[in-house]
Amino acid sequence: MKSELHVPSDLKFLEIVEHWLLGCLAMEFGDNVEWPHKSSRLRLALVEAYANVVRHAHKDQPQLPILFRLEVRDREIDLEVWDYGKGYDLGTYQPPQPEECQEGGYGWLIMTRLMDRVEYCLQIDGRNCLKLMTTVPEMSASVEDKQTVG
């Protein structure tokens, strides 16, 4: 399954983006996966990626579109977030240190901890691409038993 969504660089569209992602995945997987844990992780990574584009990559340029691409193969989920910003050099990234009161840098840390893989490509045809990848586990027998009993 493949799906795309284009939205403006404005956080008021966040709910639309979340519903698109979770709706596509629910339609694809139905009740055949353990959703509560995985959907929360996907949602949080998506929110962080979208907020970073709006606040940093497209700062003061709400007319620039953001493209989301979702591809699901079996249990593999690839979510791409495309923007037109200057881009971010990951070579300069310094992870936040617990003892310091660092204001930024948590987004990348959050996304890499929540997803199985995260890739970032600078300036592909004038755009940047953040790719979030994860695998959805199949429903365990104990969850299936609870659903058939309840």
Side-chain angles (χ1 to χ4, degrees):
M1 185 263 297
K2 292 182 182 183
S3 182
E4 287 189 1
L5 177 69
H6 298 257
V7 294
S9 295
D10 190 324
L11 289 177
K12 68 183 175 187
F13 291 92
L14 179 58
E15 190 173 339
I16 292 170
V17 174
E18 289 177 294
H19 284 289
W20 166 78
L21 174 68
L22 296 176
C24 286
L25 295 175
M27 187 173 59
E28 181 70 15
F29 294 119
D31 293 330
N32 297 320
V33 296
E34 293 185 31
W35 269 115
H37 181 67
K38 191 56 83 168
S39 66
S40 295
R41 295 171 72 92
L42 282 164
R43 187 192 148 280
L44 182 54
L46 173 74
V47 167
E48 189 58 45
Y50 184 51
N52 280 347
V53 171
V54 172
R55 291 184 180 137
H56 303 293
H58 291 178
K59 184 178 181 177
D60 302 323
Q61 299 178 72
Q63 76 283 2
L64 292 177
I66 302 171
L67 167 64
F68 295 92
R69 284 190 180 140
L70 176 67
E71 184 173 355
V72 179
R73 294 171 317 284
D74 296 319
R75 301 235 173 270
E76 302 293 319
I77 298 172
D78 292 347
L79 176 63
E80 296 177 353
V81 182
W82 291 84
D83 70 73
Y84 288 92
K86 178 182 170 189
Y88 182 75
D89 179 7
L90 283 174
T92 64
Y93 175 71
Q94 295 293 319
Q97 301 300 314
E99 64 277 358
E100 297 176 13
C101 293
Q102 186 173 331
E103 193 170 306
Y106 292 94
W108 183 256
L109 180 68
I110 289 168
M111 289 184 289
T112 57
R113 296 277 170 95
L114 294 175
M115 298 289 95
D116 295 335
R117 258 181 47 223
V118 179
E119 296 175 1
Y120 183 66
C121 300
L122 283 171
Q123 296 300 315
I124 302 169
D125 297 328
R127 300 182 296 169
N128 306 299
C129 180
L130 173 68
K131 193 169 186 179
L132 306 167
M133 296 160 277
T134 192
T135 302
V136 179
E138 291 195 46
M139 191 180 313
S140 65
S142 62
V143 173
E144 288 176 357
D145 292 343
K146 288 178 186 175
Q147 287 185 344
T148 57
V149 172

